Structures are given as structure tokens and as C-alpha cells.
């Protein structure tokens, strides 16, 4: 079940209206996450491909405000309202609750209270004995719940999340953007150090931004993560799921491009979808 402190019934009801038009719960949730992520990146072509698929199913016959794209946008607004009220992983809670009706889901994430305890044990947010920027790493991040808890405690840190599930990676990228964190999100198996895709989110005073890295940047990120891990092991300081290495800031930051225009994660991201 969803975390008891997060009420996601309103969001689930909105998504359910779309599902009842002949879609599976998993497809609706996947498309919703992709639409949000594409909109936040200003990627019109893949965004419109998803919208067109719903149009082809007679969706335009519904009145304004009741079309599937309108309901997706409504669910996005409800998500933002709940995140503003709880400062928690509402997206993951929706995934858990909505997935109860689908055989294609089947994942349940670490409870928020346990994430709070793990972050405390790992020392996230504690005073540093050096001037180096703190790095927070979760090699099996799911919907990013652990990273979001750490982000509240240490918002100036650099966050790195990895998950082999493509949907989880996209949820994490969206969440890190929503909560305005500097982060790298990797889709791939952390046990084999496999990187398939990656996203970068950046903090700004106007709100978070997100972009997908190109192949060359993914390779640079892969080299940085591999080097950081090897340096940590050689220093007899085993890495933990929440606490990164204690190397210099330049050594801990990959050389991927950092000049991304910041955009507020808002309902405006869905404008122009008609």
C-alpha cells in the first residue's frame, strides 16, 4: 500500500478515468511519467507521439477538460499539490497504489520512515569535516525515495541515483527535477556498472530543470562513477547506499555540460498539446 501519510486517491482516480477508456493501468502510468518528463525537457516530438496515440482512439470526442491529455495534465497538477504539501515521494506512492490493480507493476518501495532512518545512519546532513561537497548515492533508487529524503537534509549535495528499471529511472529523474536537486540519474544495472541512459537535473532559484545526456556524456559519467568507486575502495572506505566518496569537488564532478536553461516544473509544461 502507499505510505499512510500520503493521500494519493485523487491522483489515482484521475488516472483511472483514462484507464477505463481501454488502456492498461501500467500503460497509463508509464505514459503519464513520460509525458511529464518530455514536457519538462521541451521535447515536443516524443511528447506528441504519446498524445497522438490517445487521439487515435477517439479521445478527441470527449469535451475539453475530459480528454486524456487534459486528465494527464490534471494528474500532474494534483501531483505537484501533494508534493508541495508533503515534500515526499508522491509519485512513488501513486505507483504503489495504482499498481495494486495491475499485474505489470508489482514493486513496492522502501517506506519513508525507513528512508529517514537510513539517511540518519549514513550521516546525511551531518556537518562535514572537510569543505568538499557531499555526494549522496543510491545504486537501486527505485522512485528516488531515499534521495528525496536526503535532499531535504542536505539540499546542497550532489545526488546520484541508478536503477535498471526504465520506469523507475524516469520517475527518479522527474522527482529530482520537481524537488530542485542537482542530480545524475542512471538507467542501468549498478552491479555490472552498466549505463544505458542517463539524465541530469539542476537546481536553480526558478525551479529544477532536467535533460537527457547524449551518448558521449553518458560515457563520461560512466568513467567518473567507475573511477570514484575504485578510489573509494582503494582508500579502504567502503561506499554505502547513501554516502558518497570524500574526494575533491573537481574529482567528483563529471565533465558533462552544465549549461541547461532552468524551467519551473509546472502545469505550463503541458501547454501547447492541443
Amino acid at each position: 500500500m502507499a505510505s499512510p501519510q500520503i493521500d494519493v486517491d485523487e491522483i489515482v482516480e484521475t488516472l483511472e478515468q483514462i484507464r477505463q477508456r481501454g488502456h492498461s493501468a501500467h500503460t497509463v502510468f508509464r505514459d503519464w511519467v513520460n509525458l511529464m518528463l518530455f514536457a519538462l525537457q521541451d521535447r515536443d516530438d516524443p511528447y506528441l507521439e504519446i498524445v497522438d496515440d490517445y487521439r487515435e482512439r477517439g479521445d478527441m470526442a470527449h469535451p475539453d477538460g475530459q480528454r486524456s491529455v487534459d486528465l494527464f495534465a490534471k494528474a500532474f497538477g494534483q501531483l505537484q499539490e501533494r508534493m508541495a504539501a508533503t515534500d515526499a515521494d508522491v509519485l512513488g506512492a501513486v505507483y504503489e497504489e495504482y499498481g495494486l490493480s495491475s499485474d505489470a507493476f508489482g514493486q513496492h518501495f522502501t517506506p519513508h520512515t525507513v528512508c529517514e532512518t537510513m539517511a540518519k545512519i549514513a550521516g546525511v546532513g551531518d556537518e562535514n569535516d572537510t569543505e568538499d561537497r557531499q555526494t549522496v548515492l543510491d545504486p537501486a533508487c527505485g522512485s528516488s525515495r531515499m534521495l528525496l529524503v536526503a535532499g531535504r537534509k542536505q539540499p546542497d549535495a550532489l545526488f546520484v541515483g541508478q536503477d535498471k528499471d526504465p520506469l523507475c529511472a524516469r520517475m527518479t529523474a522527474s522527482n529530482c527535477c520537481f524537488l530542485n536537486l542537482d542530480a545524475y540519474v542512471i538507467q542501468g544495472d549498478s552491479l555490472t556498472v552498466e549505463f544505458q541512459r542517463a539524465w541530469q537535473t539542476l537546481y536553480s532559484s526558478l525551479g529544477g530543470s532536467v535533460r537527457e545526456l547524449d551518448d558521449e556524456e553518458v560515457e563520461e559519467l560512466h568513467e567518473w562513477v567507475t573511477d570514484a568507486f575504485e578510489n573509494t575502495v582503494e582508500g579502504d572506505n567502503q561506499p554505502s547506499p547513501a554516502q558518497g566518496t570524500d574526494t575533491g569537488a573537481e574529482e567528483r564532478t563529471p565533465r558533462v555540460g552544465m549549461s541547461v536553461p532552468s524551467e519551473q516544473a509546472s502545469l505550463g509544461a503541458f501547454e501547447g498539446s492541443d
Side-chain angles (χ1 to χ4, degrees):
M1 296 181 63
S3 299
Q5 71 271 30
I6 302 177
D7 180 6
V8 297
D9 289 347
E10 186 179 50
I11 303 173
V12 170
E13 289 174 3
T14 300
L15 296 177
E16 182 65 10
Q17 292 181 59
I18 306 173
R19 187 196 67 80
Q20 290 176 354
R21 296 172 181 176
H23 309 281
S24 71
H26 182 266
T27 297
V28 170
F29 186 86
R30 180 202 63 201
D31 288 345
W32 181 49
V33 171
N34 284 334
L35 284 170
M36 289 189 288
L37 191 55
F38 289 143
L40 293 168
Q41 297 177 87
D42 272 342
R43 295 182 61 185
D44 293 340
D45 290 344
Y47 178 94
L48 291 175
E49 285 181 10
I50 298 175
V51 172
D52 287 343
D53 183 57
Y54 286 85
R55 284 173 174 163
E56 291 173 0
R57 296 171 178 262
D59 191 64
M60 300 304 290
H62 297 282
D64 288 351
Q66 292 300 314
R67 299 170 303 171
S68 294
V69 67
D70 299 325
L71 295 173
F72 278 128
K74 179 180 178 181
F76 186 18
Q78 293 168 333
L79 172 68
Q80 289 187 300
E81 290 176 357
R82 294 306 299 152
M83 291 189 73
T86 64
D87 201 22
D89 175 28
V90 180
L91 187 56
V94 175
Y95 178 97
E96 292 173 312
E97 186 71 27
Y98 196 41
L100 292 176
S101 62
S102 172
D103 294 334
F105 281 65
Q107 290 196 63
H108 294 276
F109 304 123
T110 305
H112 287 80
T113 52
V114 176
C115 289
E116 293 277 358
T117 302
M118 291 171 63
K120 183 176 181 180
I121 292 174
V124 176
D126 290 350
E127 185 175 349
N128 261 344
D129 56 2
T130 72
E131 296 182 356
D132 295 332
R133 187 185 193 188
Q134 193 172 37
T135 303
V136 179
L137 168 67
D138 189 342
C141 59
S143 59
S144 74
R145 192 164 292 175
M146 179 68 186
L147 295 178
L148 300 188
V149 168
R152 295 200 303 270
K153 296 178 178 293
Q154 189 72 28
D156 296 331
L158 174 65
F159 300 88
V160 181
Q162 182 166 355
D163 203 286
K164 65 180 181 180
D165 186 314
L167 182 54
C168 286
R170 287 173 170 80
M171 291 167 63
T172 295
S174 299
N175 267 335
C176 289
C177 177
F178 293 153
L179 267 73
N180 204 4
L181 301 176
D182 282 337
Y184 290 102
V185 180
I186 304 156
Q187 176 188 322
D189 192 334
S190 59
L191 295 178
T192 59
V193 200
E194 173 193 16
F195 285 29
Q196 297 173 346
R197 307 175 75 169
W199 292 262
Q200 178 189 26
T201 67
L202 287 174
Y203 164 87
S204 89
S205 59
L206 299 177
S209 63
V210 59
R211 71 184 184 102
E212 184 171 356
L213 303 185
D214 61 31
D215 292 341
E216 182 177 348
E217 291 171 325
V218 171
E219 181 58 32
E220 291 177 357
L221 182 62
H222 182 275
E223 292 175 2
W224 169 69
V225 171
T226 303
D227 290 344
F229 176 78
E230 290 176 350
N231 291 337
T232 301
V233 173
E234 289 174 1
D236 294 326
N237 182 18
Q238 296 294 330
S240 73
Q243 186 70 47
T245 63
D246 190 25
T247 56
E250 293 184 359
E251 296 177 3
R252 291 194 290 107
T253 305
R255 299 189 306 275
V256 300
M258 301 292 288
S259 58
V260 181
S262 178
E263 298 179 17
Q264 186 68 31
S266 70
L267 280 175
F270 280 89
E271 291 178 357
S273 60
D274 293 342

